[in-house]
């Protein structure tokens, strides 16, 4: 309900009060679209009154993360989860030691491809080029849509059907758009 109230406020009036008492407002249709995507994803960024250059985040719901539980339970397989930066805190809180993120040295990529990682979290931009994830699994979940379609297409390609076939796998790739 609290997320729906914030969503409706931003959508209709371009202003909403958060549970913390913070006021969030937008001044254009474009910024409204961004805020609505954030709310649907389970969080919202707002400006700090003390430091206007710093973004703060307030979490509104865990519905998207709940869907990850369902996917893991139903498939019983490894999963790549694509997230927005703010969602990493929600993922870490829920999955603690089970969750790994891509690192600069390629260790997580190697461990994923060896089947050692059950849940690999990646951001759209950090995993859209230069990596190969097809050996570690065939399931990918997009926690929220991106405004740039090519980001989603690039990340899906990292474990996608063509990569699976090139590596000798004959398996369906499941893309869960949450």
């Amino acid at each position: 309900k609290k997320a729906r109230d914030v969503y409706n406020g931003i959508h209709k009036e371009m202003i909403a009060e958060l549970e913390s008492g913070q006021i969030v407002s937008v001044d254009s249709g474009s910024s409204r679209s961004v805020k609505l995507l954030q709310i649907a994803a389970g969080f919202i960024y707002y400006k700090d009154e003390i430091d206007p250059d710093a973004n703060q985040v307030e979490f509104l719901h865990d519905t998207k993360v709940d869907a990850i539980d369902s996917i893991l339970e139903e498939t019983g397989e490894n999963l790549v989860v694509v997230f927005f930066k703010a969602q990493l805190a929600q993922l870490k809180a829920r999955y603690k030691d089970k969750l790994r993120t891509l690192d600069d040295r390629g260790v997580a990529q190697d461990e994923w491809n060896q089947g050692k990682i059950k849940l690999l979290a990646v951001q759209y931009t950090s995993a859209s080029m230069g990596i190969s994830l097809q050996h570690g699994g065939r399931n990918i979940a997009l926690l929220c849509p991106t405004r740039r379609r090519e980001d989603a297409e690039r990340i899906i390609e990292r474990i996608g059907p063509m990569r699976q076939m090139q590596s000798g796998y004959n398996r369906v790739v499941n893309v869960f758009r949450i």
Side-chain angles (χ1 to χ4, degrees), residues 7 11 14 21 26-27 29 32 49-51 60 62 70 81 89 96 102-103 123 134 137 139 145 149 152 154 167:
Y7 188 97
H11 184 259
M14 297 178 75
V26 295
D27 57 5
R32 175 172 49 191
E49 292 176 5
I50 297 169
D51 183 4
L60 303 171
D62 289 334
S70 177
V81 177
K96 297 177 180 51
L102 282 180
D103 53 31
Q123 287 184 284
Q134 74 269 20
N139 298 317
R149 182 183 176 130
R154 282 188 194 128
S167 299

Side-chain angles (χ1 to χ4, degrees), residues 70-125:
S70 177
I71 293 168
L72 289 170
E73 183 179 320
E74 290 177 29
T75 65
E77 298 177 14
N78 299 344
L79 180 66
V80 171
V81 177
V82 185
F83 66 94
F84 281 145
K85 185 177 180 180
Q87 292 172 307
L88 184 57
Q90 288 176 304
L91 291 167
K92 284 182 175 180
R94 175 78 56 99
Y95 299 108
K96 297 177 180 51
D97 297 332
K98 296 178 187 174
L99 181 75
R100 289 287 304 276
T101 57
L102 282 180
D103 53 31
D104 294 333
R105 297 168 298 148
V107 174
Q109 177 181 311
D110 293 343
E111 289 179 354
W112 166 264
N113 280 323
Q114 294 167 14
K116 296 178 180 178
I117 297 174
K118 183 76 174 167
L119 191 59
L120 179 65
V122 300
Q123 287 184 284
Y124 279 104
T125 53

